Amino acid sequence: MAKRLLVTYALWALGGPVGLHHVYLGRDSHALLWMLTLGGFGVGWLWEFWQLPGWVARANDARELQPRSPEPPALSPVRFFGQVLVGIYFGLVALIGLSSLAGFYLLALPLAVGLGVHVVSSVGDQTSDLRSTLVAAFLTSPVFYGHALAILPISLTASVTAQQCRRYKPSRAPETLRARLYHLGLAYLAFTTPLAYCAFCNTAATARYLADAIGAVLGWLSFFPTLGSFLEQLLLLPYCAWRLLMEGAGFGAGYFQVWEKVYEFVQSFQSERQQLAYKVLGLRDGAPVEEIHKSYRDLVKLWHPDHNRHRAEEAERQFIEVQAAYESLMRSRKA
């Protein structure tokens, strides 16, 4: 039966974030991706509004089996960015639910990241070699074993491999709707099982791993206070959202406790960062604003690179540290 544009737009408006319009058009990989990310975190769902007519036309043309071009599809920066992002997202889900399992960094983490990358690779009429993508993820994982930010290099390596192995999907007869929904349900169940396990069994271990990851990111950005503050709020967004939605609802307590512990860690990290800022400025903890301003002006004059050409590298490092410490203390005072 021919697909209708009006029906597609109605499904997009009513159930777009969970991929109903993609199920209608036979784009099951895209539907699964939208189910697991709520419409590409909302942005993808809105962005595809203008693409629906083209997808409807291709869905109607695809009813007749046609040979695919042997040439690989053109390289897509948008698809590559999506592969990296969804790979990280799948890795974070594994981190939340399975981080206490033995061999997590060697088995569960690269498997989750590789599968996330492959889901994006399979959107539309394209796909990639799943085996090569997983091999790349598993080979990269031991190099960053135990690192809090291991997800990023694993996702990058798997995404590059997936792009190198990209190809068009072979033409084949479509499955029945029942079979397609069955496969989508199994995939969704496999994705949500680690989260359910986390909610009931894995609160303390999950909080520890998430705290390590957040601490590593914020530590790297300690010299860029504005960016660090923005990222800090972004990383704690799940905590804030779940606190608003779940505090009085009586369910989801396990997941809420995870972010409670992470929030406590970040508060402790902020306190240690303030103590370090006072130390950099040569002040006691809780020094008044006047002393902060005076110490900052004196140290800026002392370590300005133009006044220390004989030791330019050390002066630049000290100058940046003083500025970062001053901005951190002033931002906390304003807050």
Side-chain angles (χ1 to χ4, degrees):
M1 183 175 63
K3 307 299 181 183
R4 298 185 179 276
L5 182 60
L6 184 60
V7 175
T8 303
Y9 271 111
L11 293 174
W12 174 85
L14 297 175
V18 293
L20 288 184
H21 56 301
H22 289 302
V23 174
Y24 173 69
L25 297 175
R27 301 169 58 89
D28 291 350
S29 296
H30 211 156
L32 177 63
L33 179 63
W34 258 217
M35 290 168 59
L36 302 182
T37 63
L38 288 181
F41 312 106
V43 178
W45 169 58
L46 297 174
W47 179 69
E48 67 184 7
F49 176 84
W50 309 104
Q51 297 180 308
L52 294 181
W55 288 343
V56 171
R58 281 197 291 271
N60 290 327
D61 292 340
R63 288 182 299 159
E64 299 180 2
L65 298 181
Q66 300 176 356
R68 297 289 189 181
S69 170
E71 297 295 326
L75 179 64
S76 171
V78 174
R79 186 181 292 264
F80 176 75
F81 176 76
Q83 288 168 330
V84 175
L85 184 62
V86 175
I88 294 174
Y89 172 62
F90 272 52
L92 288 174
V93 171
L95 187 67
I96 290 172
L98 304 174
S99 56
S100 64
L101 299 182
F104 168 76
Y105 280 97
L106 295 177
L107 296 175
L109 182 61
L111 178 62
V113 173
L115 291 176
V117 171
H118 187 70
V119 169
V120 181
S121 302
S122 301
V123 166
D125 58 354
Q126 298 184 27
T127 187
S128 184
D129 184 36
L130 176 59
R131 179 181 301 178
S132 299
T133 303
L134 291 179
V135 167
F138 277 105
L139 290 179
T140 307
S141 182
V143 179
F144 300 93
Y145 182 85
H147 287 262
L149 298 179
I151 298 174
L152 177 58
I154 296 174
S155 184
L156 281 171
T157 305
S159 300
V160 170
T161 304
Q163 285 290 330
Q164 292 176 339
C165 300
R166 66 188 184 277
R167 64 176 185 268
Y168 287 108
K169 292 178 180 177
S171 299
R172 61 180 182 181
E175 296 179 323
T176 63
L177 180 61
R178 178 181 298 181
R180 291 168 52 208
L181 293 178
Y182 173 73
H183 294 151
L184 286 173
L186 286 181
Y188 186 80
L189 182 63
F191 181 85
T192 54
T193 297
L195 295 177
Y197 173 77
C198 158
F200 294 103
C201 307
N202 201 25
T203 302
T206 299
R208 185 179 70 252
Y209 280 98
L210 284 174
D212 289 343
I214 292 177
V217 173
L218 297 181
W220 286 2
L221 296 175
S222 59
F223 294 120
F224 304 95
T226 303
L227 180 59
S229 177
F230 169 76
L231 189 58
E232 180 180 303
Q233 299 302 320
L234 182 63
L235 291 172
L236 289 177
L237 185 60
Y239 167 81
C240 300
W242 275 84
R243 186 176 186 88
L244 291 173
L245 295 175
M246 301 296 182
E247 194 169 24
F251 61 91
Y255 190 81
F256 178 69
Q257 291 170 12
V258 171
W259 287 102
E260 281 279 12
K261 293 175 186 272
V262 174
Y263 182 75
E264 292 173 2
F265 166 81
V266 174
Q267 295 290 8
S268 174
F269 181 85
Q270 290 175 330
S271 177
E272 293 177 4
R273 187 169 57 185
Q274 282 200 5
Q275 292 176 5
L276 179 60
Y278 282 118
K279 184 177 180 180
V280 169
L281 295 178
L283 300 171
R284 69 184 189 279
D285 290 354
V289 176
E290 293 77 13
E291 292 185 18
I292 296 176
H293 287 323
K294 183 178 182 302
S295 178
Y296 170 69
R297 287 193 297 267
D298 293 343
L299 290 173
V300 164
K301 293 178 182 177
L302 176 64
W303 291 110
H304 197 285
D306 292 343
H307 302 156
N308 296 272
R309 297 186 183 279
H310 58 290
R311 48 177 180 173
E313 185 175 343
E314 179 186 2
E316 183 178 1
R317 178 175 59 82
Q318 294 286 355
F319 187 77
I320 293 175
E321 287 184 1
V322 169
Q323 285 187 318
Y326 176 76
E327 291 180 13
S328 177
L329 291 177
M330 288 298 98
R331 189 176 66 254
S332 64
R333 293 298 177 93
K334 291 179 181 179

